[in-house]
Amino acid sequence: MSCYIGVDLGATCIKLALLAEDWKVVKRIELSTADFPKKSLLIRSLEKHILRLGESLKVKPKGVGIGVPGLVDPEKGLIHYLVNIPGWENVHLKKILEKSLEVPVFIDNDVNLMALAELCIGQAKGKKNVVCITLGTGVGGGLVLEGKLYRGTSFSAGEIGHIPLNETGPVCNCGGIACLERYVGNRYIIEKARDKLKQRSSSIISDLIKDDFSRLTPEILSRALKKGDSLAKEIWQDIGRKIGIVLSGVVNLLNPEMIIIGGGIAQVGEVLFKTIKETIKKRAMRIPAEKVSIVPAKLKKDAGLIGAAILVKLEGARRTIPEFI
Ligand SMILES: [Zn+2]
């Protein structure tokens, strides 16, 4: 039996798992990113837990695949930088981990790995032109063009979250101005909701957080929406319109058959999806807008781990066509 180790290194939590040949998670570990303020501590912890996962089944894994939220050179296994996790500039993570773990290590952008997973065993199975977008702390994107993962000239393609929405506006973590992420990333949704709440006399949101703004999260806004709160609906529709505007440009540029939306905020459900679909219908060119279907990710929270394991099978960036699908 072959097995793989997948790692999903996120800005909020780090997931590690041992996966079987059929991409099922056999064993998993979850860590909080905030517990590792120093990069060196996090790397040591990754080494320790990866070794433990391998030993638990007494089989040597084929390799370790790691997804990270940022710009990566997958050929060298070099992390250029992570947009929402400071201190990770120019880290040769592949080299460091291969020395200590003695198995092949492959690294890629996390949304590229989600796209790979959806392409192999998820919503995009059998599809040729697919765009993946994840909504969470950051807004990431991954592209499948003509059945292959498309990484771009310097492996940075698909950064949908950093497409500018306006000529002027707030400065983004990436250095750009008025990027989509700067309006619909978790912390900005919370900021906006806080400002709007201060202007309102009553809202279900205020009851849910007991007037303590530090308790405000996108999950709370989602719960308020399900309870019928009009302010929550207004906020989510505004977010849906902004995502829809950027995706209209993506639809016009790439003419995809499917856009897969994943990540925490995608769990908001129908109000968000309906607004995104209506905006694309209104704003994109008629023929590509009619052809594209907008669907939620199938693989949910494990997509990054499954994609990381698939990356090992593909030997990193060496092969972009998953022949086994
Ligand atoms: Zn940006």
Side-chain angles (χ1 to χ4, degrees):
M1 187 189 89
S2 299
C3 71
Y4 307 91
I5 288 179
V7 180
D8 188 356
L9 203 169
T12 315
C13 72
I14 302 153
K15 290 181 245 169
L16 299 97
L18 187 70
L19 294 100
E21 257 172 329
D22 59 359
W23 316 117
K24 292 259 171 3
V25 172
V26 180
K27 206 172 162 83
R28 71 172 75 225
I29 298 169
E30 226 172 289
L31 308 168
S32 167
T33 314
D35 289 345
F36 304 97
K38 274 191 174 171
K39 184 181 65 198
S40 57
L41 288 177
L42 177 51
I43 293 174
R44 292 292 91 77
S45 181
L46 284 179
E47 286 169 344
K48 186 179 82 184
H49 285 103
I50 289 169
L51 284 170
R52 264 192 210 159
L53 277 174
E55 282 162 10
S56 66
L57 275 196
K58 298 195 169 37
V59 283
K60 193 169 178 169
K62 288 252 178 206
V64 179
I66 303 177
V68 297
L71 290 195
V72 176
D73 179 334
E75 283 176 0
K76 294 186 182 137
L78 164 71
I79 296 174
H80 290 300
Y81 66 90
L82 305 182
V83 181
N84 290 301
I85 315 178
W88 281 79
E89 285 78 30
N90 297 317
V91 180
H92 283 270
L93 192 60
K94 178 184 171 75
K95 213 186 266 176
I96 297 169
L97 291 179
E98 281 186 344
K99 205 171 164 194
S100 56
L101 298 171
E102 295 175 335
V103 288
V105 175
F106 302 100
I107 297 162
D108 209 330
N109 171 272
D110 55 356
V111 192
N112 279 351
L113 297 186
M114 172 204 167
L116 260 186
E118 291 287 344
L119 179 67
C120 293
I121 58 167
Q123 291 278 29
K125 199 168 180 205
K127 300 266 184 297
K128 282 195 151 234
N129 298 309
V130 179
V131 173
C132 288
I133 172 168
T134 57
L135 308 168
T137 310
V139 176
L143 305 175
V144 172
L145 300 177
E146 299 300 330
K148 297 181 200 173
L149 187 64
Y150 180 78
R151 289 188 172 92
T153 309
S154 48
F155 314 108
S156 73
E159 290 290 348
I160 294 169
H162 302 282
I163 293 179
L165 196 60
N166 289 312
E167 187 181 351
T168 56
V171 176
C172 179
N173 273 352
C174 76
I177 292 167
C179 296
L180 176 66
E181 182 174 301
R182 193 58 185 73
Y183 298 95
V184 306
N186 278 354
R187 79 187 74 160
Y188 307 110
I189 293 175
I190 294 167
E191 264 176 27
K192 180 98 183 260
R194 195 185 300 143
D195 291 346
K196 284 196 176 258
L197 270 173
K198 284 178 183 164
Q199 296 159 17
R200 293 266 174 131
S201 53
S202 74
S203 160
I204 291 173
I205 306 169
S206 310
D207 301 340
L208 287 173
I209 60 170
K210 300 188 173 66
D211 288 320
D212 176 0
F213 288 127
S214 70
R215 293 187 182 174
L216 202 54
T217 60
E219 290 73 40
I220 293 274
L221 295 175
S222 178
R223 270 168 58 196
L225 175 73
K226 287 187 178 112
K227 285 176 183 279
D229 184 63
S230 62
L231 178 60
K233 191 174 178 188
E234 198 182 293
I235 292 168
W236 285 119
Q237 282 177 330
D238 179 57
I239 292 162
R241 266 192 305 275
K242 289 187 163 72
I243 296 167
I245 288 169
V246 165
L247 289 181
S248 300
V250 171
V251 164
N252 288 347
L253 180 71
L254 298 174
N255 188 199
E257 56 198 307
M258 180 178 272
I259 296 178
I260 299 175
I261 304 180
I265 301 171
Q267 314 293 327
V268 171
E270 198 41 39
V271 167
L272 187 67
F273 274 80
K274 191 167 169 257
T275 315
I276 294 173
K277 285 179 198 172
E278 282 172 0
T279 309
I280 292 175
K281 209 172 164 199
K282 229 182 275 169
R283 304 285 294 256
M285 290 163 73
R286 187 176 61 83
I287 290 177
E290 278 172 357
K291 281 281 174 210
V292 68
S293 56
I294 315 291
V295 298
K298 185 179 170 190
L299 302 166
K300 311 281 182 228
K301 286 182 172 174
D302 284 343
L305 292 170
I306 295 167
I310 292 171
L311 183 75
V312 176
K313 183 151 180 172
L314 291 176
E315 298 171 65
R318 201 162 301 162
R319 290 190 283 154
T320 48
I321 311 171
E323 294 92 347
F324 51 89
I325 61 170

Short mmCIF file of all heavy atoms in Angstrom, two decimals, residues 134-160:
data_model
loop_
_atom_site.label_atom_id
_atom_site.label_comp_id
_atom_site.label_asym_id
_atom_site.label_seq_id
_atom_site.Cartn_x
_atom_site.Cartn_y
_atom_site.Cartn_z
N THR A 134 -10.90 30.58 -3.47
CA THR A 134 -11.19 30.29 -2.06
C THR A 134 -11.34 31.60 -1.30
O THR A 134 -10.58 32.55 -1.51
CB THR A 134 -10.08 29.47 -1.39
OG1 THR A 134 -8.87 30.17 -1.50
CG2 THR A 134 -9.95 28.10 -1.99
N LEU A 135 -12.33 31.62 -0.43
CA LEU A 135 -12.64 32.82 0.33
C LEU A 135 -12.39 32.54 1.81
O LEU A 135 -13.01 31.66 2.38
CB LEU A 135 -14.12 33.19 0.12
CG LEU A 135 -14.58 33.29 -1.33
CD1 LEU A 135 -16.10 33.36 -1.41
CD2 LEU A 135 -13.97 34.51 -2.00
N GLY A 136 -11.47 33.29 2.41
CA GLY A 136 -11.16 33.08 3.82
C GLY A 136 -10.36 34.26 4.34
O GLY A 136 -10.67 35.41 4.01
N THR A 137 -9.31 33.99 5.12
CA THR A 137 -8.42 35.07 5.58
C THR A 137 -7.93 35.84 4.37
O THR A 137 -7.93 37.07 4.33
CB THR A 137 -7.20 34.48 6.33
OG1 THR A 137 -7.68 33.55 7.29
CG2 THR A 137 -6.38 35.56 6.98
N GLY A 138 -7.50 35.08 3.37
CA GLY A 138 -7.13 35.66 2.09
C GLY A 138 -8.08 35.15 1.01
O GLY A 138 -8.93 34.30 1.28
N VAL A 139 -7.93 35.70 -0.19
CA VAL A 139 -8.74 35.22 -1.32
C VAL A 139 -7.77 34.65 -2.35
O VAL A 139 -6.96 35.38 -2.92
CB VAL A 139 -9.57 36.37 -1.93
CG1 VAL A 139 -10.34 35.90 -3.16
CG2 VAL A 139 -10.53 36.94 -0.89
N GLY A 140 -7.83 33.33 -2.54
CA GLY A 140 -6.88 32.70 -3.45
C GLY A 140 -7.56 32.20 -4.70
O GLY A 140 -8.79 32.11 -4.76
N GLY A 141 -6.74 31.89 -5.71
CA GLY A 141 -7.31 31.36 -6.95
C GLY A 141 -6.40 30.33 -7.58
O GLY A 141 -5.18 30.31 -7.34
N GLY A 142 -6.98 29.42 -8.34
CA GLY A 142 -6.22 28.40 -9.06
C GLY A 142 -6.87 28.19 -10.41
O GLY A 142 -8.09 28.30 -10.54
N LEU A 143 -6.05 27.93 -11.44
CA LEU A 143 -6.58 27.81 -12.81
C LEU A 143 -6.28 26.44 -13.41
O LEU A 143 -5.14 25.96 -13.35
CB LEU A 143 -5.94 28.87 -13.71
CG LEU A 143 -6.03 30.34 -13.29
CD1 LEU A 143 -5.24 31.20 -14.27
CD2 LEU A 143 -7.47 30.79 -13.22
N VAL A 144 -7.30 25.84 -14.01
CA VAL A 144 -7.11 24.64 -14.82
C VAL A 144 -7.49 25.04 -16.24
O VAL A 144 -8.62 25.44 -16.50
CB VAL A 144 -8.02 23.49 -14.33
CG1 VAL A 144 -7.96 22.31 -15.29
CG2 VAL A 144 -7.61 23.05 -12.92
N LEU A 145 -6.49 25.02 -17.14
CA LEU A 145 -6.75 25.41 -18.53
C LEU A 145 -6.40 24.24 -19.44
O LEU A 145 -5.33 23.65 -19.31
CB LEU A 145 -5.93 26.65 -18.90
CG LEU A 145 -6.20 27.91 -18.06
CD1 LEU A 145 -5.27 29.04 -18.48
CD2 LEU A 145 -7.65 28.35 -18.14
N GLU A 146 -7.32 23.88 -20.32
CA GLU A 146 -7.15 22.74 -21.24
C GLU A 146 -6.76 21.47 -20.47
O GLU A 146 -5.90 20.71 -20.92
CB GLU A 146 -6.12 23.07 -22.34
CG GLU A 146 -6.51 24.25 -23.22
CD GLU A 146 -7.84 24.05 -23.97
OE1 GLU A 146 -8.19 22.92 -24.28
OE2 GLU A 146 -8.54 25.07 -24.20
N GLY A 147 -7.36 21.27 -19.30
CA GLY A 147 -7.13 20.05 -18.52
C GLY A 147 -5.86 20.02 -17.69
O GLY A 147 -5.55 19.00 -17.08
N LYS A 148 -5.10 21.12 -17.70
CA LYS A 148 -3.84 21.15 -16.95
C LYS A 148 -3.87 22.28 -15.92
O LYS A 148 -4.46 23.34 -16.18
CB LYS A 148 -2.65 21.46 -17.85
CG LYS A 148 -2.36 20.47 -18.91
CD LYS A 148 -1.13 20.96 -19.66
CE LYS A 148 -1.03 20.33 -21.02
NZ LYS A 148 0.06 20.91 -21.81
N LEU A 149 -3.18 22.06 -14.81
CA LEU A 149 -3.01 23.14 -13.86
C LEU A 149 -2.12 24.20 -14.50
O LEU A 149 -1.05 23.89 -15.02
CB LEU A 149 -2.32 22.58 -12.60
CG LEU A 149 -2.21 23.52 -11.42
CD1 LEU A 149 -3.59 23.88 -10.88
CD2 LEU A 149 -1.39 22.87 -10.31
N TYR A 150 -2.61 25.45 -14.52
CA TYR A 150 -1.83 26.52 -15.15
C TYR A 150 -1.15 27.36 -14.08
O TYR A 150 -1.81 27.97 -13.24
CB TYR A 150 -2.76 27.40 -16.02
CG TYR A 150 -2.00 28.52 -16.69
CD1 TYR A 150 -1.24 28.27 -17.83
CD2 TYR A 150 -2.01 29.81 -16.17
CE1 TYR A 150 -0.51 29.28 -18.44
CE2 TYR A 150 -1.28 30.83 -16.77
CZ TYR A 150 -0.54 30.55 -17.89
OH TYR A 150 0.19 31.56 -18.48
N ARG A 151 0.20 27.36 -14.09
CA ARG A 151 0.93 28.05 -13.03
C ARG A 151 1.48 29.41 -13.47
O ARG A 151 1.82 30.23 -12.63
CB ARG A 151 2.08 27.18 -12.53
CG ARG A 151 1.65 25.96 -11.71
CD ARG A 151 2.85 25.27 -11.12
NE ARG A 151 2.51 24.22 -10.19
CZ ARG A 151 2.35 22.95 -10.50
NH1 ARG A 151 2.49 22.57 -11.75
NH2 ARG A 151 2.07 22.05 -9.59
N GLY A 152 1.63 29.65 -14.75
CA GLY A 152 2.15 30.93 -15.23
C GLY A 152 3.66 30.95 -15.35
O GLY A 152 4.34 29.99 -14.98
N THR A 153 4.20 32.07 -15.88
CA THR A 153 5.63 32.19 -16.18
C THR A 153 6.51 32.04 -14.95
O THR A 153 7.54 31.39 -14.99
CB THR A 153 5.89 33.58 -16.82
OG1 THR A 153 4.97 33.74 -17.89
CG2 THR A 153 7.31 33.70 -17.34
N SER A 154 6.11 32.68 -13.85
CA SER A 154 6.91 32.51 -12.62
C SER A 154 6.03 31.93 -11.51
O SER A 154 6.19 32.25 -10.34
CB SER A 154 7.55 33.84 -12.21
OG SER A 154 6.58 34.86 -12.23
N PHE A 155 5.13 31.06 -11.90
CA PHE A 155 4.30 30.26 -11.00
C PHE A 155 3.33 31.07 -10.14
O PHE A 155 2.90 30.60 -9.09
CB PHE A 155 5.18 29.38 -10.08
CG PHE A 155 6.29 28.67 -10.79
CD1 PHE A 155 7.61 29.07 -10.63
CD2 PHE A 155 6.01 27.61 -11.64
CE1 PHE A 155 8.63 28.42 -11.30
CE2 PHE A 155 7.03 26.95 -12.31
CZ PHE A 155 8.34 27.36 -12.14
N SER A 156 2.98 32.28 -10.55
CA SER A 156 2.11 33.09 -9.69
C SER A 156 0.71 33.29 -10.28
O SER A 156 -0.06 34.11 -9.78
CB SER A 156 2.76 34.44 -9.41
OG SER A 156 2.71 35.24 -10.57
N ALA A 157 0.38 32.52 -11.33
CA ALA A 157 -0.93 32.72 -11.97
C ALA A 157 -2.08 32.39 -11.03
O ALA A 157 -1.91 31.62 -10.08
CB ALA A 157 -1.03 31.84 -13.21
N GLY A 158 -3.22 32.98 -11.28
CA GLY A 158 -4.44 32.63 -10.55
C GLY A 158 -4.71 33.46 -9.31
O GLY A 158 -5.61 33.14 -8.55
N GLU A 159 -3.96 34.52 -9.08
CA GLU A 159 -4.17 35.32 -7.86
C GLU A 159 -5.40 36.24 -8.01
O GLU A 159 -5.28 37.47 -8.08
CB GLU A 159 -2.91 36.13 -7.52
CG GLU A 159 -1.74 35.28 -7.04
CD GLU A 159 -1.96 34.67 -5.65
OE1 GLU A 159 -2.92 35.07 -4.95
OE2 GLU A 159 -1.19 33.78 -5.28
N ILE A 160 -6.56 35.61 -8.02
CA ILE A 160 -7.81 36.35 -8.22
C ILE A 160 -8.05 37.37 -7.11
O ILE A 160 -8.56 38.47 -7.35
CB ILE A 160 -8.99 35.35 -8.32
CG1 ILE A 160 -8.81 34.49 -9.57
CG2 ILE A 160 -10.34 36.06 -8.33
CD1 ILE A 160 -9.73 33.30 -9.65
#
